[in-house]
Amino acid sequence: QVQLVESGGGLVQPGGSLRLSCAASGFAFGNYVMSWYRQAPGKERDLVATIGNPGATNYGDSVKGRFAISRDNAKNTVYLQMNSLRPEDTAVYYCNVRWFYRDYWGKGTLVTVSS
């Protein structure tokens, strides 16, 4: 059974940093592309970043140069380091894997950027 559990969200001031984690289980983690998405209130869910193995990365235009995705295959965990946060980064952040042609999601972790 595929499980994705996000953690690390919270309230941060503009310009601050947070690191999100996603602990994965139920599949061969190292063999799959992992992704982070986010969904702001009233908006669609958008891709933030993806990471393959051995670590090719891709980022949404709005986060390039500020966010960094990484993975630790020994811990079955993917991370999202978020720097220079802006109010428009406020959203629920979701971890994703496409396993056997089906998308799996965690429950999300809320990031609020506000002074």
Side-chain angles (χ1 to χ4, degrees), residues 23-81:
S25 61
F27 63 101
F29 178 81
N31 292 345
Y32 290 88
V33 172
M34 298 298 299
S35 302
W36 284 97
Y37 284 75
R38 67 184 182 186
Q39 188 166 18
K43 296 189 176 181
E44 294 184 352
R45 193 171 294 189
D46 290 329
L47 177 67
V48 176
T50 64
I51 185 166
N53 195 24
T57 58
N58 184 50
Y59 295 93
D61 287 342
S62 62
V63 306
K64 283 180 182 176
R66 300 188 298 123
F67 290 12
I69 189 171
S70 60
R71 66 192 297 159
D72 185 337
N73 290 341
K75 296 182 178 180
N76 285 5
T77 300
V78 60
Y79 304 97
L80 185 68
Q81 178 66 43

Side-chain angles (χ1 to χ4, degrees), residues 8-31:
L11 174 64
V12 62
Q13 293 188 342
S17 298
L18 279 177
R19 189 175 84 151
L20 306 183
S21 300
C22 171
S25 61
F27 63 101
F29 178 81
N31 292 345

